[in-house]
PDB file of all heavy atoms in Angstrom:
ATOM      1  N   VAL A1752      26.927  -2.033  12.521  1.00 97.00           N
ATOM      2  CA  VAL A1752      27.974  -2.657  13.411  1.00 97.00           C
ATOM      3  C   VAL A1752      27.448  -2.715  14.864  1.00 97.00           C
ATOM      4  O   VAL A1752      27.550  -3.741  15.476  1.00 97.00           O
ATOM      5  CB  VAL A1752      29.231  -1.735  13.321  1.00 97.00           C
ATOM      6  CG1 VAL A1752      30.261  -2.226  14.348  1.00 97.00           C
ATOM      7  CG2 VAL A1752      29.775  -1.715  11.936  1.00 97.00           C
ATOM      8  N   MET A1753      26.864  -1.667  15.309  1.00 98.00           N
ATOM      9  CA  MET A1753      26.347  -1.674  16.668  1.00 98.00           C
ATOM     10  C   MET A1753      25.118  -2.641  16.768  1.00 98.00           C
ATOM     11  O   MET A1753      24.969  -3.401  17.701  1.00 98.00           O
ATOM     12  CB  MET A1753      25.855  -0.303  17.114  1.00 98.00           C
ATOM     13  CG  MET A1753      26.881   0.607  17.523  1.00 98.00           C
ATOM     14  SD  MET A1753      27.869  -0.064  18.947  1.00 98.00           S
ATOM     15  CE  MET A1753      28.878   1.404  19.313  1.00 98.00           C
ATOM     16  N   ASN A1754      24.294  -2.695  15.697  1.00 98.00           N
ATOM     17  CA  ASN A1754      23.203  -3.676  15.737  1.00 98.00           C
ATOM     18  C   ASN A1754      23.686  -5.060  15.773  1.00 98.00           C
ATOM     19  O   ASN A1754      23.138  -5.943  16.536  1.00 98.00           O
ATOM     20  CB  ASN A1754      22.345  -3.470  14.463  1.00 98.00           C
ATOM     21  CG  ASN A1754      21.637  -2.176  14.396  1.00 98.00           C
ATOM     22  OD1 ASN A1754      21.512  -1.500  15.448  1.00 98.00           O
ATOM     23  ND2 ASN A1754      21.137  -1.735  13.199  1.00 98.00           N
ATOM     24  N   LYS A1755      24.807  -5.379  15.066  1.00 98.00           N
ATOM     25  CA  LYS A1755      25.337  -6.751  15.143  1.00 98.00           C
ATOM     26  C   LYS A1755      25.891  -7.055  16.589  1.00 98.00           C
ATOM     27  O   LYS A1755      25.591  -8.123  17.155  1.00 98.00           O
ATOM     28  CB  LYS A1755      26.460  -6.885  14.081  1.00 98.00           C
ATOM     29  CG  LYS A1755      27.168  -8.204  14.159  1.00 98.00           C
ATOM     30  CD  LYS A1755      26.291  -9.462  13.931  1.00 98.00           C
ATOM     31  CE  LYS A1755      27.015 -10.700  14.022  1.00 98.00           C
ATOM     32  NZ  LYS A1755      26.091 -11.940  14.041  1.00 98.00           N
ATOM     33  N   ARG A1756      26.562  -6.135  17.167  1.00 98.00           N
ATOM     34  CA  ARG A1756      27.084  -6.275  18.522  1.00 98.00           C
ATOM     35  C   ARG A1756      25.854  -6.563  19.415  1.00 98.00           C
ATOM     36  O   ARG A1756      25.931  -7.402  20.340  1.00 98.00           O
ATOM     37  CB  ARG A1756      27.931  -5.072  18.940  1.00 98.00           C
ATOM     38  CG  ARG A1756      28.331  -5.146  20.423  1.00 98.00           C
ATOM     39  CD  ARG A1756      29.204  -6.267  20.780  1.00 98.00           C
ATOM     40  NE  ARG A1756      29.571  -6.224  22.175  1.00 98.00           N
ATOM     41  CZ  ARG A1756      30.620  -6.783  22.733  1.00 98.00           C
ATOM     42  NH1 ARG A1756      31.476  -7.517  21.983  1.00 98.00           N
ATOM     43  NH2 ARG A1756      30.778  -6.736  24.055  1.00 98.00           N
ATOM     44  N   ASP A1757      24.799  -5.757  19.273  1.00 99.00           N
ATOM     45  CA  ASP A1757      23.647  -5.971  20.174  1.00 99.00           C
ATOM     46  C   ASP A1757      23.078  -7.368  20.005  1.00 99.00           C
ATOM     47  O   ASP A1757      22.736  -8.005  21.060  1.00 99.00           O
ATOM     48  CB  ASP A1757      22.588  -4.955  19.767  1.00 99.00           C
ATOM     49  CG  ASP A1757      22.851  -3.547  20.332  1.00 99.00           C
ATOM     50  OD1 ASP A1757      23.734  -3.472  21.269  1.00 99.00           O
ATOM     51  OD2 ASP A1757      22.348  -2.505  19.812  1.00 99.00           O
ATOM     52  N   PHE A1758      23.030  -7.888  18.840  1.00 99.00           N
ATOM     53  CA  PHE A1758      22.492  -9.246  18.637  1.00 99.00           C
ATOM     54  C   PHE A1758      23.439 -10.268  19.241  1.00 99.00           C
ATOM     55  O   PHE A1758      22.982 -11.235  19.935  1.00 99.00           O
ATOM     56  CB  PHE A1758      22.247  -9.582  17.158  1.00 99.00           C
ATOM     57  CG  PHE A1758      20.955  -9.133  16.624  1.00 99.00           C
ATOM     58  CD1 PHE A1758      20.722  -7.916  16.076  1.00 99.00           C
ATOM     59  CD2 PHE A1758      19.753  -9.945  16.807  1.00 99.00           C
ATOM     60  CE1 PHE A1758      19.443  -7.514  15.648  1.00 99.00           C
ATOM     61  CE2 PHE A1758      18.519  -9.602  16.433  1.00 99.00           C
ATOM     62  CZ  PHE A1758      18.381  -8.392  15.786  1.00 99.00           C
ATOM     63  N   GLU A1759      24.725 -10.022  19.192  1.00 98.00           N
ATOM     64  CA  GLU A1759      25.672 -10.902  19.890  1.00 98.00           C
ATOM     65  C   GLU A1759      25.551 -10.815  21.418  1.00 98.00           C
ATOM     66  O   GLU A1759      25.560 -11.821  22.006  1.00 98.00           O
ATOM     67  CB  GLU A1759      27.083 -10.633  19.399  1.00 98.00           C
ATOM     68  CG  GLU A1759      27.380 -10.907  17.937  1.00 98.00           C
ATOM     69  CD  GLU A1759      27.038 -12.403  17.615  1.00 98.00           C
ATOM     70  OE1 GLU A1759      27.534 -13.334  18.249  1.00 98.00           O
ATOM     71  OE2 GLU A1759      26.206 -12.571  16.699  1.00 98.00           O
ATOM     72  N   ASN A1760      25.360  -9.611  21.902  1.00 99.00           N
ATOM     73  CA  ASN A1760      25.104  -9.470  23.311  1.00 99.00           C
ATOM     74  C   ASN A1760      23.811 -10.175  23.713  1.00 99.00           C
ATOM     75  O   ASN A1760      23.741 -10.847  24.804  1.00 99.00           O
ATOM     76  CB  ASN A1760      25.116  -8.067  23.696  1.00 99.00           C
ATOM     77  CG  ASN A1760      26.528  -7.494  23.827  1.00 99.00           C
ATOM     78  OD1 ASN A1760      27.556  -8.257  23.775  1.00 99.00           O
ATOM     79  ND2 ASN A1760      26.591  -6.154  23.824  1.00 99.00           N
ATOM     80  N   LEU A1761      22.823 -10.036  22.955  1.00 99.00           N
ATOM     81  CA  LEU A1761      21.488 -10.651  23.214  1.00 99.00           C
ATOM     82  C   LEU A1761      21.638 -12.156  23.264  1.00 99.00           C
ATOM     83  O   LEU A1761      21.106 -12.856  24.175  1.00 99.00           O
ATOM     84  CB  LEU A1761      20.446 -10.346  22.138  1.00 99.00           C
ATOM     85  CG  LEU A1761      19.858  -8.892  22.239  1.00 99.00           C
ATOM     86  CD1 LEU A1761      19.202  -8.553  20.920  1.00 99.00           C
ATOM     87  CD2 LEU A1761      18.901  -8.675  23.418  1.00 99.00           C
ATOM     88  N   LYS A1762      22.418 -12.727  22.348  1.00 98.00           N
ATOM     89  CA  LYS A1762      22.639 -14.199  22.429  1.00 98.00           C
ATOM     90  C   LYS A1762      23.439 -14.625  23.510  1.00 98.00           C
ATOM     91  O   LYS A1762      23.194 -15.613  24.241  1.00 98.00           O
ATOM     92  CB  LYS A1762      23.287 -14.634  21.091  1.00 98.00           C
ATOM     93  CG  LYS A1762      22.338 -14.505  19.844  1.00 98.00           C
ATOM     94  CD  LYS A1762      22.944 -15.145  18.598  1.00 98.00           C
ATOM     95  CE  LYS A1762      23.980 -14.203  17.945  1.00 98.00           C
ATOM     96  NZ  LYS A1762      24.431 -14.787  16.627  1.00 98.00           N
ATOM     97  N   TRP A1763      24.498 -13.845  23.869  1.00 98.00           N
ATOM     98  CA  TRP A1763      25.434 -14.078  24.952  1.00 98.00           C
ATOM     99  C   TRP A1763      24.615 -14.158  26.243  1.00 98.00           C
ATOM    100  O   TRP A1763      24.877 -15.061  27.104  1.00 98.00           O
ATOM    101  CB  TRP A1763      26.444 -13.076  25.082  1.00 98.00           C
ATOM    102  CG  TRP A1763      27.378 -13.157  26.270  1.00 98.00           C
ATOM    103  CD1 TRP A1763      28.483 -13.981  26.430  1.00 98.00           C
ATOM    104  CD2 TRP A1763      27.231 -12.502  27.536  1.00 98.00           C
ATOM    105  NE1 TRP A1763      29.018 -13.805  27.739  1.00 98.00           N
ATOM    106  CE2 TRP A1763      28.290 -12.886  28.438  1.00 98.00           C
ATOM    107  CE3 TRP A1763      26.369 -11.449  27.984  1.00 98.00           C
ATOM    108  CZ2 TRP A1763      28.423 -12.338  29.661  1.00 98.00           C
ATOM    109  CZ3 TRP A1763      26.468 -10.944  29.332  1.00 98.00           C
ATOM    110  CH2 TRP A1763      27.554 -11.339  30.115  1.00 98.00           C
ATOM    111  N   ILE A1764      23.641 -13.244  26.456  1.00 99.00           N
ATOM    112  CA  ILE A1764      23.004 -13.128  27.770  1.00 99.00           C
ATOM    113  C   ILE A1764      21.827 -14.167  27.867  1.00 99.00           C
ATOM    114  O   ILE A1764      21.252 -14.376  28.937  1.00 99.00           O
ATOM    115  CB  ILE A1764      22.472 -11.674  28.018  1.00 99.00           C
ATOM    116  CG1 ILE A1764      22.418 -11.364  29.522  1.00 99.00           C
ATOM    117  CG2 ILE A1764      21.239 -11.374  27.282  1.00 99.00           C
ATOM    118  CD1 ILE A1764      22.255  -9.907  29.816  1.00 99.00           C
ATOM    119  N   GLY A1765      21.495 -14.780  26.703  1.00 98.00           N
ATOM    120  CA  GLY A1765      20.412 -15.821  26.804  1.00 98.00           C
ATOM    121  C   GLY A1765      19.053 -15.194  26.484  1.00 98.00           C
ATOM    122  O   GLY A1765      18.019 -15.840  26.869  1.00 98.00           O
ATOM    123  N   ALA A1766      19.036 -14.105  25.850  1.00 98.00           N
ATOM    124  CA  ALA A1766      17.728 -13.521  25.526  1.00 98.00           C
ATOM    125  C   ALA A1766      17.073 -14.135  24.324  1.00 98.00           C
ATOM    126  O   ALA A1766      17.775 -14.871  23.490  1.00 98.00           O
ATOM    127  CB  ALA A1766      17.860 -12.026  25.228  1.00 98.00           C
ATOM    128  N   ASN A1767      15.759 -14.067  24.211  1.00 98.00           N
ATOM    129  CA  ASN A1767      15.052 -14.643  22.969  1.00 98.00           C
ATOM    130  C   ASN A1767      14.057 -13.618  22.414  1.00 98.00           C
ATOM    131  O   ASN A1767      13.181 -14.032  21.563  1.00 98.00           O
ATOM    132  CB  ASN A1767      14.336 -15.955  23.399  1.00 98.00           C
ATOM    133  CG  ASN A1767      13.315 -15.718  24.475  1.00 98.00           C
ATOM    134  OD1 ASN A1767      12.812 -14.610  24.726  1.00 98.00           O
ATOM    135  ND2 ASN A1767      12.962 -16.787  25.129  1.00 98.00           N
TER     136      ASN A1767
END
Side-chain angles (χ1 to χ4, degrees):
V1752 174
M1753 282 300 188
N1754 292 344
K1755 175 58 181 172
R1756 172 66 183 199
D1757 283 342
F1758 274 93
E1759 291 306 305
N1760 283 347
L1761 286 165
K1762 291 189 282 186
W1763 172 84
I1764 205 168
N1767 60 20

